[in-house]
Amino acid sequence: MMGFDLTLVWAAIIGFAVMAYVVMDGFDLGIGILFPTFKVGEERDQAMNSIAPVWDGNETWLVMGGGGLLAAFPLAYAIILPATYPLMIAMLLGLIFRGVAFEFRWRDPGHRAFWDVAFTVGSVVAALAQGMTLGAILQGITVENNAYAGGWLDWLSPFSLLTGIAVVVGYALLGATWLIWKTEGSSLRHAQAMAFRLALATLVALAAVSAATPYLAYEYWRRWFEMPGVLLTAQVPLLVVVCAVTLFWSLRRGHERLPFLMALGLFLLGFVGLGVSLYPYIVPPAVTIRDAAAPEESLSFLLAGAIVIIPLILAYTAWAYWVFRGKVGTHGYH
Amino acid sequence: MFAGLDPVVLARAQFAFTISFHFIFPAFSIGLASYLFVLEGLWLKTGQGVYANLYRYWLKIFAVVFGMGVVSGVVMSYQFGTNWSVFSEKAGPVVGPLMAYEVLTAFFLEAGFLGVMLFGMNKVGKGLHFFATSMVALGTLISATWIIAVNSWMQTPAGYAINAAGQFVPGGSWADIIFTASFPYRLVHTVIAAYLTTAFAVGAVGAWHLLKDRANPGARKMFSMAMWMAALVAPVQILAGDAHGLNTLEHQPVKVLAMEGDYHPSPDGAPLILFGLPDSEAAEVRYELSLPHLGSLILKHDPFAPLPGLTDFPREEWPPVHIVFWSFRIMVALGFAMLGIGLWSLFARYRRRLYEWPWLHRAAVVMGPSGFVAVIAGWVTTEVGRQPYTVYGLLRTADSVSPLAAPAVAASLLAFVVVYFVAFGAGTYYLARLMARPPERGESEPPHLPQRAAGITPASGVTAPFATKE
């Protein structure tokens, strides 16, 4: 197809799916991370119920990210997954405990405490594994003959630990601001107090990752700081400052929706920052999106459906959120 | 500690374990989603409260089953990359888009409407709620279609070319890739299997409660519906299975010969081996109990038609014969047992004793798990029968595996086993508890705090569109 870069379009679609996953399941996992800080009873039930109708759809974006990567960039899928093997397995197992806890805690009040712990541990493990995977990709993966050629603990480093913690903290912020939007009473006040601290922690983590990334490889340094690119890339930290100020201001003023939107904004900017660091690589330092891309027939076949179906998905997902709009009630369940 | 083990074997064990567990849940949720669709449709049409109560009764069970299906399914979408990276890289351009289409057209549809289906009864109108149920049911069927297309391509690959990097790439027409030779047979056989599995699970629950209280209207209704499915669908499944077998004989003869235990060619017509112990070393079935000519009659529809034997093919092309030989027999035996229950129920219905025949109810309870066992046995037959290949005849399993050391795969396998037994063991126990409770009038909805829509006074329970009139 002339004048139309399928590879780039697919990189954008996968990027969108990953971003959609991060923000949507991010607040679900964040609630899981914060769960022990909520009082047993109404506060926990409210927190859980604010996400029960939507978590499954949110997690589907993760399957889309994996399935889309396999379809559009099979080589990247075949390298990244073995390279981060223990992280992937840990994430999947964490998501199992997190996912079943939604139903099981209602089914078995006698063991609700156990499933609440499973909910939290599952969420923390999944978030940490996702963050560390990000760090493992950024720090570079050893590739020979189109296959992963490193050891099975290469992903573990101070940097990947840092990105792991950053994602846990960031998800917790998303969760807290979501609860500000969706709950009332003591849950709301608790979420507001948590959000304030988590916003600080998230900014510190974001700054630490941003400061460490350029030292991983000269390539990253060059992209961020060389003229004239710096005029463009400098907009990212500037916008982060704008988002952060608005976030603190809105928390202080007791706004109920703006904090969540600003937390989303921070994630979006972090994601743009990643794009700046990585593009055009998908598995740095060896494999670009073009190297990893599936043949044009595969990409165009899938694109034909995706451009029709993804807007439909967004439409009915938005409808499902709209059906469950408003605050979670404080009345007992029936 | 695991250094002596073969990573390929471990990776296969892990895939077999995770997919067998996973397959149990969709087999049930495909059938249950359609059943819920029928129940809600009948309720809207007739207004009879028994349908609304049954809908809510099974909805709570569906919620648990579906949740387990989702989390075990997410594992599958990453297993291809973690353990079978070479397969992923080589076959990704062909099977990847089909799986991505499954996500786009099925998973999102199910997940998007599931929340409304489970928790939205008092938040949307009846028509819209029925629409949500329909979309979830449709999603499960679309999902089955795509994933069976992927599996069928791996069994009977077509429509591909091989590029310079050794990857399978689309050869021109995607229709050739999706509609491979075994696809229609496999799809029909699998979807019917899901329906039968559900019918026998529902039937067992109904029968259990009939044994305790013959007058329970919910138990009577669900038992009757399940037995109609058994009586009508079990024979269709046997015919579909037969057609699928003939198709397999045409495209994967070695698999069928292993299923039959036919080591040696039978120029005058093959017997049907009922039982025996296949011994591939000696290339014979020990303690064989067989009926002459029946094998050819079934496979060729001619008792004297010659059939080849496994020894006509090189040994390195044989699947593990003893596994497929036995898994196939388990599946077929259960299929005929299902047919037996279906016929028995017809007879009971004719004698007007459907709800009053405890032995029928006891048999139905015993047969409750039969569908799950049959589905797993069938899956083992077709997947182990595909060995030693991942893409039949083209890419060997041994050449498909990730560059992983045995300890990594063994440790993750162990972790999966432990986690699955804890999480899904508990889930199965909760399911059993839900099923042990009889369906009642005014059946409750899945537990959930009512959510107050902005500006609307909460009045759930008062304005409930599902208010029961019985």
Side-chain angles (χ1 to χ4, degrees):
Chain A
M1 265 182 248
M2 290 294 159
F4 185 70
D5 191 341
L6 270 172
T7 312
L8 202 57
V9 170
W10 269 106
I13 293 176
I14 307 276
F16 177 77
V18 172
M19 187 64 209
Y21 173 74
V22 165
V23 300
M24 293 167 98
D25 210 22
F27 67 76
D28 299 347
L29 290 168
I31 287 170
I33 293 162
L34 294 176
F35 213 58
T37 72
F38 288 97
K39 283 202 197 75
V40 174
E42 197 180 88
E43 284 192 9
R44 288 192 177 191
D45 296 352
Q46 269 193 59
M48 198 69 138
N49 280 304
S50 74
I51 48 175
V54 293
W55 76 271
D56 180 16
N58 297 348
E59 196 173 288
T60 306
W61 290 99
L62 180 67
V63 184
M64 179 63 207
L69 198 63
L70 169 61
F73 301 100
L75 183 60
Y77 181 83
I79 292 170
I80 294 173
L81 269 60
T84 56
Y85 189 78
L87 291 174
M88 287 295 129
I89 303 291
M91 174 187 81
L92 296 170
L93 296 176
L95 289 174
I96 288 175
F97 278 117
R98 189 283 295 252
V100 297
F102 280 102
E103 274 295 321
F104 290 1
R105 75 186 298 274
W106 292 115
R107 291 282 146 238
D108 190 359
H111 292 97
R112 186 168 292 165
F114 174 82
W115 292 116
D116 284 359
V117 171
F119 185 59
T120 297
V121 172
S123 299
V124 171
V125 167
L128 193 67
Q130 288 169 8
M132 292 182 76
T133 302
L134 172 66
I137 294 172
L138 272 173
Q139 74 192 11
I141 290 174
T142 316
V143 176
E144 277 168 29
N145 301 326
N146 281 347
Y148 176 58
W152 68 294
L153 286 174
D154 283 15
W155 47 272
L156 187 61
S157 70
F159 180 72
S160 68
L161 277 171
L162 174 65
T163 53
I165 292 166
V167 165
V168 172
V169 174
Y171 280 179
L173 173 66
L174 280 175
T177 52
W178 171 257
L179 289 176
I180 291 174
W181 189 339
K182 296 296 284 187
T183 62
E184 50 197 359
S186 70
S187 301
L188 171 64
R189 285 188 296 279
H190 177 67
Q192 284 170 324
M194 296 297 292
F196 204 86
R197 281 173 255 166
L198 287 164
L200 272 178
T202 302
L203 287 168
V204 170
L206 198 59
V209 173
S210 307
T213 304
Y215 292 98
L216 289 173
Y218 176 67
E219 178 74 15
Y220 293 148
W221 180 274
R222 204 178 53 76
R223 278 151 190 269
W224 279 98
F225 297 113
E226 229 171 43
M227 285 295 271
V230 68
L231 297 178
L232 204 61
T233 55
Q235 307 307 312
V236 177
L238 285 178
L239 284 170
V240 168
V241 172
V242 172
C243 265
V245 170
T246 315
L247 175 57
F248 284 117
W249 175 79
S250 62
L251 282 172
R252 194 154 289 244
R253 291 288 300 268
H255 285 276
E256 295 188 357
R257 297 184 189 185
L258 204 51
F260 181 67
L261 298 176
M262 285 304 112
L264 285 189
L266 286 178
F267 265 86
L268 193 62
L269 289 166
F271 205 68
V272 170
L274 276 178
V276 171
S277 293
L278 283 175
Y279 181 82
Y281 290 94
I282 193 163
V283 186
V287 182
T288 65
I289 52 174
R290 222 158 297 279
D291 299 332
E296 198 179 293
E297 297 89 331
S298 303
L299 296 179
S300 56
F301 169 66
L302 193 53
L303 186 64
I307 51 176
V308 180
I309 302 164
I310 291 179
L312 269 176
I313 292 169
L314 293 174
Y316 63 66
T317 305
W319 174 72
Y321 272 83
W322 188 77
V323 166
F324 295 99
R325 68 196 178 280
K327 299 277 188 188
V328 184
T330 51
H331 311 272
Y333 65 91
H334 41 256
Chain B
M1 142 166 108
F2 302 111
L5 292 169
D6 178 1
V8 180
V9 173
L10 288 167
R12 280 186 60 198
Q14 185 171 121
F15 201 88
F17 179 79
T18 52
I19 201 154
S20 297
F21 251 100
H22 171 63
F23 197 25
I24 290 171
F25 304 118
F28 199 12
S29 58
I30 290 170
L32 262 189
S34 293
Y35 185 50
L36 288 165
F37 166 79
V38 170
L39 286 172
E40 191 170 17
L42 284 172
W43 178 68
L44 290 179
K45 189 157 171 270
T46 66
Q48 288 177 25
V50 65
Y51 292 117
N53 284 325
L54 280 183
Y55 180 86
R56 281 182 284 210
Y57 180 86
W58 284 103
L59 186 63
K60 282 176 284 208
I61 291 165
F62 181 72
V64 177
V65 174
F66 198 89
M68 292 195 281
V70 168
V71 294
S72 60
V74 175
V75 171
M76 298 323 301
S77 71
Y78 283 81
Q79 278 272 304
F80 290 100
T82 50
N83 290 359
W84 302 99
S85 64
V86 178
F87 167 81
S88 301
E89 193 236 320
K90 289 196 186 304
V94 170
V95 297
L98 307 189
M99 290 200 254
Y101 265 117
E102 183 186 14
V103 183
L104 287 171
T105 59
F107 292 166
F108 278 114
L109 194 66
E110 296 169 67
F113 287 96
L114 181 76
V116 174
M117 183 185 180
L118 293 183
F119 308 121
M121 282 184 195
N122 301 319
K123 304 193 71 75
V124 298
K126 289 179 195 177
L128 209 47
H129 189 270
F130 182 53
F131 179 72
T133 305
S134 315
M135 287 302 108
V136 172
L138 179 66
T140 62
L141 293 172
I142 295 174
S143 168
T145 306
W146 285 113
I147 202 65
I148 292 294
V150 171
N151 184 264
S152 299
W153 186 84
M154 291 166 68
Q155 301 275 0
T156 50
Y160 62 90
I162 293 176
N163 72 5
Q167 288 176 306
F168 297 98
V169 294
S173 161
W174 278 93
D176 292 345
I177 291 173
I178 298 168
F179 300 101
T180 53
S182 62
F183 169 72
Y185 299 93
R186 195 181 311 279
L187 179 64
V188 168
H189 195 49
T190 310
V191 171
I192 295 180
Y195 281 168
L196 269 180
T197 299
T198 306
F200 275 86
V202 171
V205 172
W208 175 261
H209 295 299
L210 283 178
L211 283 168
K212 295 181 166 174
D213 174 14
R214 282 180 197 175
N216 184 313
R220 291 167 74 99
K221 182 61 80 182
M222 72 169 96
F223 185 68
S224 171
M225 291 173 89
M227 288 301 112
W228 274 125
M229 278 299 281
L232 298 175
V233 179
V236 175
Q237 179 68 326
I238 290 170
L239 294 177
D242 176 55
H244 189 18
L246 298 188
N247 176 264
T248 308
L249 180 64
E250 190 180 335
H251 297 281
Q252 298 173 303
V254 180
K255 183 195 282 188
V256 172
L257 295 174
M259 284 153 59
E260 297 290 331
D262 292 340
Y263 283 103
H264 297 286
S266 334
D268 312 317
L272 178 71
I273 301 176
L274 295 177
F275 291 105
L277 298 176
D279 180 351
S280 289
E281 290 286 315
E284 63 172 13
V285 178
R286 296 186 191 283
Y287 313 110
E288 178 182 313
L289 174 68
S290 61
L291 299 170
H293 296 291
L294 203 54
S296 283
L297 183 65
I298 291 170
L299 287 170
K300 293 283 190 182
H301 294 188
D302 168 7
F304 300 101
L307 271 176
L310 282 168
T311 49
D312 292 337
F313 299 87
R315 252 172 202 272
E316 60 271 18
E317 303 288 304
W318 295 7
V321 179
H322 54 289
I323 297 179
V324 292
F325 179 88
W326 277 107
S327 61
F328 176 64
R329 267 151 197 74
I330 292 169
M331 175 186 77
V332 171
L334 287 170
F336 278 96
M338 289 175 175
L339 177 67
I341 294 276
L343 294 176
W344 189 355
S345 79
L346 283 182
F347 183 63
R349 222 182 273 273
Y350 170 74
R351 297 276 304 272
R352 303 197 173 281
R353 292 191 61 201
L354 187 66
Y355 308 115
E356 282 87 27
W357 203 337
W359 279 108
L360 173 63
H361 303 156
R362 286 184 195 115
V365 169
V366 171
M367 286 291 283
S370 63
F372 300 102
V373 179
V375 157
I376 298 294
W379 188 250
V380 166
T381 306
T382 198
E383 295 300 280
V384 176
R386 195 193 58 224
Q387 301 302 324
Y389 293 100
T390 48
V391 181
Y392 197 68
L394 298 167
L395 181 63
R396 285 190 170 261
T397 307
D399 302 328
S400 304
V401 75
S402 297
L404 292 166
V409 189
S412 62
L413 172 60
L414 206 62
F416 274 117
V417 171
V418 172
V419 168
Y420 275 37
F421 276 104
V422 172
F424 300 141
T428 309
Y429 169 69
Y430 298 147
L431 283 176
R433 249 185 9 186
L434 282 169
M435 291 173 177
R437 212 183 43 76
E440 288 161 351
R441 289 172 184 229
E443 192 66 42
S444 66
E445 286 159 27
H448 185 64
L449 285 170
Q451 212 151 7
R452 203 179 68 202
I456 297 170
T457 317
S460 51
V462 180
T463 55
F466 266 71
T468 310
K469 48 169 181 167
E470 198 162 28

